[in-house]
Amino acid sequence: MTTPQTMKYHEYANIYNMLTDEKMQNLAVTLKRDGQLIPITIYEGKILDGRNRYEACKIAGIECHSVEYTGDDPLQRVSNLNGHRRHDSTNQLALTGAKMANLRRGGQGGKLKVPMGTLKSAITQERAAELTGASLRNIKRAKPIVENGIPELEEMTRNDQVSIRAASTVAKLPEEEQREAVSKGADGIKEAAKKQRDTPVPRRIFPSPKPQHGKVSEWVPDDAERIWAIAQAHLDRILPNDTSLTKVMNNLIAYAEARISKTK
């Protein structure tokens, strides 16, 4: 069938990068000369496979033909059609795997506007590793870059300008600090990552599970002012979707403030 001139890309297709402008123009020339030999694939009213052919057909001014996907594993289909990307770099495979594992059932992927956990993952990180050929460790490291990293940081990682480990560390910083690091290039990211790793992080401190005889649960250590300062310093560095650690830090701050007020 003939494809409409305006169509959205499916979330599964968006896991992979589009062609560069130069390669897109070359594809358009080829399609203009030889015609569209392979139709694009449509799923849920969106382009599942063939985004580049679709755009190149528009550039070439020719009709784009498509077929409906009728299988039961569209993500596997996309992965198989992009099998040649297994020659991508370690960074590129890890980012692709992290994007796969970040997809949510219901078609929502990327930065979610709903609390983490409201929608279940479309696939596990282990499954994403199988589909992409990336290591599970690197997919886990790439997760903060995909979820919280600014686009420029992700692009530098994809272009192998910085390591997954360094980029993952910087991606956990507030946006302003990420931009500052990226503005200084690869060295700036390495420096910011080293500084972050060298900064002491307070261990998670939990109250006793059951107060005894009406007494308030004790926290450790007892240095309330130090607890307050450390918790405040690290609160902004917590990823937006890490609600459990945010709650712990806020509880620590409230406890420390109460202890400090009693000593005044």
Side-chain angles (χ1 to χ4, degrees):
M1 63 182 179
T2 301
T3 309
Q5 278 292 307
T6 303
M7 284 203 74
K8 293 182 178 180
Y9 305 149
H10 196 278
E11 288 81 2
Y12 290 175
N14 287 335
I15 291 170
Y16 296 94
N17 282 359
M18 295 283 286
L19 292 176
T20 62
D21 290 343
E22 181 181 357
K23 290 182 178 180
M24 184 71 76
Q25 291 295 331
N26 291 338
L27 178 59
V29 171
T30 300
L31 291 174
K32 181 76 171 179
R33 183 189 64 217
D34 302 332
Q36 181 190 357
L37 302 179
I38 303 175
I40 68 173
T41 304
I42 307 298
Y43 177 63
E44 296 181 337
K46 301 176 183 178
I47 298 176
L48 179 66
D49 172 63
R51 295 170 302 161
N52 293 303
R53 273 167 279 149
Y54 172 74
E55 295 297 340
C57 280
K58 291 199 291 186
I59 294 172
I62 64 175
E63 288 187 350
C64 181
H65 300 287
S66 61
V67 295
E68 287 285 341
Y69 176 71
T70 57
D72 58 3
D73 193 349
L75 188 54
Q76 176 74 65
R77 162 84 173 181
V78 171
S79 177
N80 289 344
L81 291 171
N82 285 275
H84 63 282
R85 295 181 187 260
R86 287 182 178 266
H87 297 295
D88 285 354
S89 68
T90 299
N91 283 11
Q92 292 163 350
L93 292 174
L95 288 170
T96 299
K99 286 184 177 181
M100 278 191 182
N102 200 44
L103 289 169
R104 295 290 178 266
R105 289 177 182 171
Q108 295 191 32
K111 297 179 179 178
L112 301 177
K113 295 182 180 180
V114 295
M116 185 65 73
T118 301
L119 294 174
K120 293 183 179 180
S121 298
I123 63 169
T124 63
Q125 291 180 335
E126 289 78 7
R127 177 61 172 155
E130 292 177 5
L131 291 173
T132 62
S135 72
L136 181 58
R137 173 183 290 183
N138 280 333
I139 287 178
K140 290 180 177 179
R141 284 178 171 171
K143 181 179 173 68
I145 305 172
V146 169
E147 289 187 344
N148 200 60
I150 61 175
E152 295 85 352
L153 178 62
E154 181 177 335
E155 187 66 19
M156 290 183 70
T157 310
R158 188 172 295 280
N159 292 335
D160 297 321
Q161 294 174 264
V162 293
S163 68
I164 281 285
R165 183 168 181 258
S168 179
T169 302
V170 172
K172 299 172 186 176
L173 297 173
E175 182 177 335
E176 300 75 21
E177 294 184 37
Q178 290 187 48
R179 293 198 179 282
E180 181 181 356
V182 167
S183 70
K184 298 176 183 178
D187 289 339
I189 293 174
K190 293 176 185 177
E191 181 181 347
K194 184 178 185 302
K195 181 179 178 181
Q196 178 71 356
R197 287 195 294 267
D198 291 344
T199 302
V201 178
R203 61 190 177 91
R204 297 193 182 196
I205 305 172
F206 298 91
S208 302
K210 293 182 180 180
Q212 296 179 357
H213 307 298
K215 294 182 180 180
V216 177
S217 302
E218 293 296 329
W219 294 75
V220 292
D222 291 329
D223 189 344
E225 291 188 0
R226 181 171 179 272
I227 293 174
W228 185 91
I230 293 175
Q232 283 282 9
H234 288 276
L235 188 60
D236 289 339
R237 298 180 183 179
I238 301 172
L239 291 176
N241 55 27
D242 194 344
T243 55
S244 60
L245 185 53
T246 300
K247 182 178 179 180
V248 170
M249 287 297 181
N250 283 327
N251 286 342
L252 273 175
I253 292 170
Y255 163 79
E257 286 177 339
R259 287 287 299 273
I260 291 170
S261 65
K262 288 182 180 180
T263 60
K264 290 183 179 179

